Each structure stands twice: as C-alpha cells, then as structure tokens.
C-alpha cells in the first residue's frame, strides 16, 4: 500500500502560489491513486469474508475492512480540501485580475485629472496676469503715497515718545473681524477697554507708522487682493528689520500681520513659521506673560486647529488662557473667548467633559459681564448644545435651544404669557393637535403671534430654529419640526440670515459618541483676530 509524504511546515511558508497549486495537483493525483488502491483492497476483503467460514477469521477480516473504510474516508476528506484550495486559487486569480483592471482605471482617471488641473492652472495664470497688468500702475501710485505717509509718521514721533516706548495699541481686530463685528450689530465693546489697559501696562503698543499699513492690508485682504497685500507686508517688514533689527516688537507685529494674510490664503506652513518667529520675539522683548504673547499663542492655536492638529493646538490655547486670566482676570470677556476656543479644540478630540466645563464657564462670564441679551450668550449656548448632541444628550440640548428662542422672543415681543408664546411652544401645541382624533387644519396665522418670531433679526436664532427642528424630527415630532423649519425659512427669505447651514442632522445621523472634525462653532478672535473652525 503506497503512502503520501507531505512537505514540512517551514518549507510550505516559502512556496509561491504556483508551487502550492502544482503540489496540490500532485497530492490530488496521489490521493486518487491511494483511494483506488484502498477500494480494491476493501473489495477483495469483502469477497474474502464471504468465503470464510470460521468466526475468528471473519472477525479479523471485518476489523481490517473497517480500518480500510476509515482510511478511505480520510482520503476523501483530503481530496475535498485539495479541491477547496484549487477553487480558492481560482478565486484569488479572478480577484487579482479585477484589481489590475481597477488600477488601470485609476491611473487613467489620475491622468485625466492632472490634465484638467494643468488646464485650470494655465487659465488661472492667464487671469492673474491680466489682473496684475490692470492694477499695476494704480498700485505703484498707492505705494508711493503710502511711503510718503510712513515718512510723515516717522517725523511726527517725538523723542520723548521714543524714550518712553509707549506706542499705539497692538491689535488686529480690524484686520480680521470676529463674529461679533460681522454679525452682531450694536454689540457692546466696553470689555475691550480692559484689554487696552492691560496692553498699555505691558509697555507695548503698535507704532503710529504701522497704522496706515494696517488700513491698507485690511482693504486688500477684504478684497482678496493678496498679490498686493503680501508684497506690501514684506516690504514693510524688510524696512523694519533694517531700521530696528529683527528682535524688535514692531517686527513681531508685522510678522503677525503677514501670518494672518497667509492664513487667509490657506498657506498654513508659511503662517506657522511667521507666528512662531513672532512668538519668540515677543517672549524675548515683552516677557512671557504679556497680552501680545497670548494673542500670538491664540493665533497659532487657531492655525493648528484649522489644519486639524488639535493636540498641538490645545497646550498653546491653554497657555494663552493662563496669561489672559493672570492679566485681565478670570471673569473677563476675552477669557471667555479663549475658553470657547479651548472648548472647540477639546470637542474635536472627543473630550466632552472638558468641553462642557469650558463652555459653561464661558457662558457664566458672558452672562455676568455682558448680560443675558449679549449675542455671545446665545452663541455659547448653541456651542454647548452642539457638544450635548455629539454625546446623544438630546434633552439637555433641547433645553438650551428653547432658552435661546424664549429669550429672543421676550426681547422682541415682551414677556411670555398665555397670549404671547415663543415659537417652540406653538410648535409643540401643533404637535399635540396633530395627534388628536380630529386634526385642526386652521392656517398658521390663526394660532396667534408665533409667526412673529420670523422677524427676529438674528442668525443665531435662525440657526437655533433649524437645530431644534432637526431634533424634533429625531424625536418623531414631525409637525413641530415643520413649524420651526417654516419659521426659519421665512426668516432666510427676509434676508436676515446669511444661509449658515446647520450640522445637527449630520450629528444625529452619526449616533452617540461619534467624533467629527468639522464643527458649526467658530474660533473666537483674541486681540489679533480669530478664524472660523
């Protein structure tokens, strides 16, 4: 009876796919031969049993025949496994063939994409050259006027002012306005006076000769004319380094201005390099606990946040917070702005306990220092509600949304009573009516003054209407959701909202505890501007 010798395990590991298939075929042939041989022997034994008359001899032959049957079963099992291996090999070959087809398709798409990119780049270059030719003479004239103004300011600075080292305030709020300046018309700015005083106590303010540059950069950056703003900043930076040296606070200020222009162009690496240089200069010349250092740290943290480097941004933001708490006090509105930024960085890392703490503290500062009607109060509540939504805490988020809508209603239409209800109350009443046996088809206008909420001139309120509507849909309150969504739609049609789309529906779809990098909240600006998250 022939026997099969299988390869050792260490040799099997070194075989290629073709060698494995070849060996498998040989094994199948051997097993087939062995199976036939066993069947022949078994057949002869069965014939022998018929001829035997003695019981002992018959029992012995029976045992041998049983052993042969077991051997035949094992051989058939081996044949089945070998056939499975062959089928698996064929499947792998088919998969590899499909993979090669897909790779070829990807290469073709990449080539087409590169061709389109080249065409687009060429068109953009032509457009840029045309714009530069049109603006060149005009900008040369403006630059000459600017240089003359710089000389005038240099002459106006008295020796006593140079000795005292007291210069104008270092702030870039005007360069990149924050959310309050863009959307919150009529917002009180009295809290900025404390920051001004702190900066003056630190002994550093922006020089008068850079004020005109501020105005020009504001103008060009707002128009998107970076091909003018960047050379202007570089020229002024070169002049400052020649006259004052590289390690001078004025150079750090100019580095900050240029960094923010680069950041606005999404040139994050260049902006980070400039901000780190400015931070080093300010720490060396002004001290590590100066408000200007906190402003640079905040700008650097916002830059890292825009690049998704939340872990690197968090310690910078915490250090800026410590400086502002030390200089301005722990209940200053600028501290609340820094808390908002820190909360957003933690939220993008899924640190929801810290996020709740920072938002709650910022909310407390805004309410105590600026009053319950300050736009920052509603915005911070919205941010906190977003944190609750990410954790699946729908009830807590719902309470905050209702507080925002109720406060906006009271501010616009007076205190709430049976005849003067905020929009969310009417929405829930309509939901209850829709569940009754006889649904009332009365038009919206006959339900009272709820539609007045459409006239509330606030993007935050409009966003809250959509957020709470999405939350109602999650809870199955379709009638209430439609009421709020129609109210939000009317407000948008009136032009009161710059169409700031909400992310609440996406958060609800993601489920509880899932992290998402994008966010509907924004980084708040410090003394040198902030950016959207």
């Amino acid at each position: 009876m022939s026997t099969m010798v299988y390869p050792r395990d260490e040799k099997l590991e070194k075989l290629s796919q073709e060698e494995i298939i070849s060996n498998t075929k040989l094994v199948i042939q051997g097993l087939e031969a062995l199976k036939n041989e066993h069947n022949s022997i078994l057949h002869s034994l069965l014939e022998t049993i018929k001829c035997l008359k003695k019981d002992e001899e018959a029992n012995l032959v029976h045992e041998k025949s049983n052993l042969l049957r077991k051997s035949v079963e094992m051989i058939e099992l081996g044949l089945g496994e070998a056939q499975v291996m062959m089928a698996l090999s064929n499947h792998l070959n088919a998969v590899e063939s499909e993979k090669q087809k897909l790779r070829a398709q990807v290469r073709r798409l990449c080539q087409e994409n590169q061709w389109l990119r080249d065409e687009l780049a060429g068109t953009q270059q032509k457009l840029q050259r045309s714009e530069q030719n049109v603006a060149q003479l005009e900008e040369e004239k403006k630059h000459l006027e600017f240089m003359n103004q710089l000389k005038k300011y240099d002459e106006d600075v008295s020796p006593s002012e140079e000795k005292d080292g007291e210069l104008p305030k270092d702030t870039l709020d005007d360069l990149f306005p924050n959310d309050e300046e863009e959307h919150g018309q009529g917002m009180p700015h009295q809290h900025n006076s404390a920051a001004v005083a702190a900066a003056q106590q630190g002994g550093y303010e922006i020089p008068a000769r850079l004020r005109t540059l501020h105005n020009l950069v504001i103008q060009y950056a707002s128009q998107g004319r970076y091909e003018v703003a960047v050379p202007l900043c570089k020229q002024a930076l070169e002049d400052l380094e020649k006259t004052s040296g590289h390690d001078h606070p004025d150079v750090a200020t100019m580095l900050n201005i240029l960094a923010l222009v680069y950041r606005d162009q999404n040139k994050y690496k260049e902006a980070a390099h400039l901000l780190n240089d400015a931070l080093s200069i300010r720490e060396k010349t002004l001290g590590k606990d100066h408000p200007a250092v906190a402003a640079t740290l905040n700008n650097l943290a916002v830059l890292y946040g825009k690049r998704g480097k939340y872990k690197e941004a968090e310690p910078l933001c915490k250090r800026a917070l410590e400086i502002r708490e030390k200089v301005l006090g722990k209940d200053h509105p600028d501290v609340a702005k820094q808390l908002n930024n820190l909360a957003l960085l933690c939220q993008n890392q899924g640190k929801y306990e810290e996020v709740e703490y920072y938002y709650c503290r910022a909310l407390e500062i805004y309410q105590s220092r600026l009053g319950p009607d300050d736009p920052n109060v509603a915005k911070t509540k919205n941010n906190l509600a977003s944190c609750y939504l990410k954790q699946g805490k729908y009830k807590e988020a719902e309470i905050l949304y209702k507080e925002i809508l109720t406060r906006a209603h009271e501010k616009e239409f007076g205190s709430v009573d049976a005849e003067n209800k905020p929009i969310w109350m009417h929405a829930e009443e309509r939901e209850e009516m829709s569940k009754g046996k006889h649904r009332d088809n009365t038009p919206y206008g006959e339900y009272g003054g709820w539609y007045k909420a459409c006239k509330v001139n606030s993007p935050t309120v409009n966003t809250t209407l959509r957020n709470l509507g999405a939350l109602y849909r999650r809870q199955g309150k379709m009638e209430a959701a439609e009421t709020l969504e129609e109210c939000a739609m009317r407000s948008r049609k009136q032009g009161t909202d710059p169409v700031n789309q909400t992310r609440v529906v996406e958060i609800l779809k993601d489920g509880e505890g899932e992290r998402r990098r994008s966010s509907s909240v924004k980084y708040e600006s410090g003394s040198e501007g902030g950016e959207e998250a």
Side-chain angles (χ1 to χ4, degrees):
M1 185 169 60
S2 61
T3 58
M4 294 297 298
V5 179
Y6 292 96
R8 297 177 61 185
D9 293 341
E10 57 269 16
K11 292 182 178 180
L12 285 174
E13 297 177 355
K14 299 179 181 179
L15 293 178
S16 64
Q17 184 176 350
E18 291 78 8
E19 292 173 340
I20 292 174
I21 297 303
S22 176
N23 289 341
T24 303
K25 291 180 179 179
L26 291 176
V27 169
I28 291 175
Q29 293 175 0
L31 289 174
E32 289 287 353
L34 189 60
K35 178 182 174 183
N36 295 332
E37 184 178 351
H38 276 63
N39 286 329
S40 176
I41 294 172
L42 181 61
H43 180 72
S44 64
L45 286 174
L46 293 176
E47 294 294 330
T48 304
I49 291 173
K50 295 178 182 179
C51 298
L52 290 175
K53 296 180 180 180
K54 295 181 180 180
D55 295 338
E56 294 180 358
E57 294 179 355
N59 290 335
L60 181 61
V61 173
H62 274 296
E63 290 179 1
K64 290 183 177 181
S65 64
N66 290 334
L67 291 173
L68 284 171
R69 285 192 182 95
K70 292 182 179 178
S71 297
V72 170
E73 291 176 357
M74 297 301 295
I75 291 171
E76 290 177 347
L77 178 61
L79 285 171
E81 292 178 351
Q83 291 171 355
V84 170
M85 290 180 64
M86 296 294 292
L88 181 60
S89 173
N90 293 333
H91 174 69
L92 290 176
N93 289 333
V95 171
E96 183 64 25
S97 176
E98 185 66 22
K99 184 178 177 182
Q100 293 298 331
K101 291 180 181 178
L102 292 175
R103 284 180 176 173
Q105 186 176 3
V106 168
R107 285 194 295 269
R108 181 178 59 80
L109 291 175
C110 289
Q111 291 173 355
E112 293 179 358
N113 186 35
Q114 185 60 41
W115 178 78
L116 291 174
R117 287 178 180 273
D118 293 341
E119 288 291 322
L120 179 60
T123 304
Q124 289 177 338
Q125 289 178 357
K126 292 179 181 178
L127 178 61
Q128 186 176 7
R129 284 195 295 268
S130 299
E131 291 178 348
Q132 289 177 349
N133 291 334
V134 171
Q136 182 177 2
L137 293 176
E138 180 183 354
E139 299 312 326
E140 288 179 357
K141 177 184 176 183
K142 289 184 178 181
H143 182 66
L144 291 174
E145 293 176 351
F146 165 69
M147 297 304 294
N148 290 332
Q149 289 174 341
L150 290 182
K151 293 179 181 179
K152 179 181 178 181
Y153 280 118
D154 287 337
E155 294 171 358
D156 291 341
V157 177
S158 64
S160 60
E161 290 177 338
E162 293 177 353
K163 291 179 181 179
D164 295 337
E166 296 182 354
L167 302 168
K169 182 174 180 280
D170 179 11
T171 174
L172 295 184
D173 278 338
D174 294 333
L175 179 57
F176 291 96
N178 57 24
D179 296 339
E180 294 83 357
E181 292 169 339
E182 290 176 350
H183 305 303
Q185 297 178 0
M187 170 188 169
H189 294 277
Q190 61 271 22
H191 62 275
N192 289 337
S193 60
V196 175
Q200 290 174 346
Q201 291 172 3
Y204 174 68
E205 296 173 356
I206 221 170
R209 56 182 172 174
L210 296 183
R211 288 177 183 172
T212 305
L213 178 61
H214 266 271
N215 297 331
L216 288 174
V217 173
I218 291 169
Q219 179 183 354
Y220 295 140
S222 63
Q223 297 173 357
R225 301 169 69 180
Y226 304 113
E227 72 280 359
V228 180
V230 172
L232 195 60
C233 290
K234 288 183 177 180
Q235 181 63 47
L237 182 61
E238 182 180 350
D239 294 340
L240 285 171
E241 288 180 334
K242 287 181 180 179
T243 56
S244 305
H246 181 71
D247 294 335
H248 192 276
D250 297 352
V251 175
T253 300
M254 186 55 58
L255 289 170
N256 265 279
I257 297 174
L258 183 55
L260 294 181
V261 174
Y262 278 146
R263 188 175 71 188
D264 198 37
Q265 296 178 273
N266 297 328
K267 295 181 178 180
Y268 298 133
K269 290 184 179 180
E270 295 88 338
H273 176 73
L274 296 175
L275 287 174
N276 280 307
D277 195 7
L279 179 62
S280 175
I281 295 173
R282 285 182 165 176
E283 286 180 338
K284 188 185 302 182
T285 57
L286 305 176
K288 294 187 176 182
D289 293 333
H290 193 276
V293 174
T296 308
L297 288 167
N298 179 70
N299 288 339
L300 196 55
V302 171
L303 181 65
Y304 284 153
K306 288 174 72 68
R307 299 175 66 184
K309 296 184 177 181
Y310 306 117
K311 291 184 179 179
E312 293 86 342
E314 184 179 350
L316 299 174
C317 202
K318 285 184 176 179
R319 187 182 164 200
L321 177 63
E322 291 174 359
I323 294 174
R324 284 176 171 164
E325 286 179 337
K326 182 177 181 180
V327 176
L328 305 176
K330 293 190 175 182
D331 60 344
H332 193 275
D334 284 350
V335 173
K337 290 181 180 180
Q338 200 69 55
L339 287 167
N340 261 306
N341 286 356
L342 185 55
L344 179 55
L345 292 173
C346 292
Q347 181 167 315
N348 281 291
Q349 300 177 69
K351 301 178 180 179
Y352 295 116
E353 292 183 2
E354 297 181 35
V355 174
E356 290 184 22
Y357 169 75
Y358 293 137
Y359 278 144
C360 289
R361 189 178 161 201
L363 182 60
E364 182 180 355
I365 294 173
Y366 282 136
Q367 288 177 328
S368 61
R369 293 296 300 273
L370 304 181
D373 294 327
D374 187 82
N376 287 293
V377 174
K379 290 200 306 184
T380 305
K381 284 185 177 181
N382 254 322
N383 294 350
L384 182 56
S386 172
C387 174
Y388 285 146
L389 286 173
K390 280 182 174 265
Q391 300 176 79
K393 297 180 178 180
Y394 301 135
K395 189 63 180 177
E396 291 86 344
E398 182 179 349
I399 292 172
L400 288 176
Y401 289 141
K402 289 179 178 179
E403 288 179 0
I404 296 171
L405 295 177
T406 300
R407 189 64 188 175
H409 185 89
E410 290 175 343
K411 183 180 178 182
E412 191 77 13
F413 309 112
S415 59
V416 176
D417 54 33
E419 301 296 330
N420 185 28
K421 299 178 182 179
I423 178 63
W424 65 267
M425 287 187 181
H426 288 284
E428 293 190 349
E429 287 177 1
R430 288 184 58 80
E431 181 66 29
E432 292 298 326
M433 288 182 177
S434 69
K435 294 179 180 179
K437 293 182 180 180
H438 304 288
R439 179 173 177 177
D440 195 345
N441 292 322
T442 307
Y444 290 166
E446 298 180 14
Y447 278 91
W450 69 265
Y451 55 86
K452 295 178 182 177
C454 293
K455 301 176 183 177
V456 176
N457 198 359
S458 169
T460 302
V461 172
N462 192 277
T463 299
T464 303
L465 287 170
R466 298 196 302 273
N467 292 358
L468 185 55
L471 192 55
Y472 277 150
R473 286 192 180 276
R474 179 72 173 184
Q475 297 171 346
K477 300 177 180 179
M478 299 304 176
E479 190 70 24
E482 290 176 3
T483 303
L484 295 182
E485 289 167 358
E486 181 178 347
C487 182
M489 186 64 67
R490 291 188 182 186
S491 178
R492 284 174 55 180
K493 287 181 179 179
Q494 293 171 0
T496 59
D497 184 19
V499 195
N500 180 19
Q501 294 295 336
T502 179
R503 289 185 56 258
V504 172
V505 176
E506 297 178 12
I507 296 174
L508 293 174
K509 289 181 180 177
D510 289 338
E512 297 181 6
E514 184 173 347
R515 294 172 52 190
R516 294 179 67 89
R517 286 191 169 186
S518 60
S519 178
S520 61
V521 289
K522 292 183 178 180
Y523 290 119
E524 299 287 351
S525 64
S527 62
E528 288 190 299
E531 280 295 323
E532 188 174 331

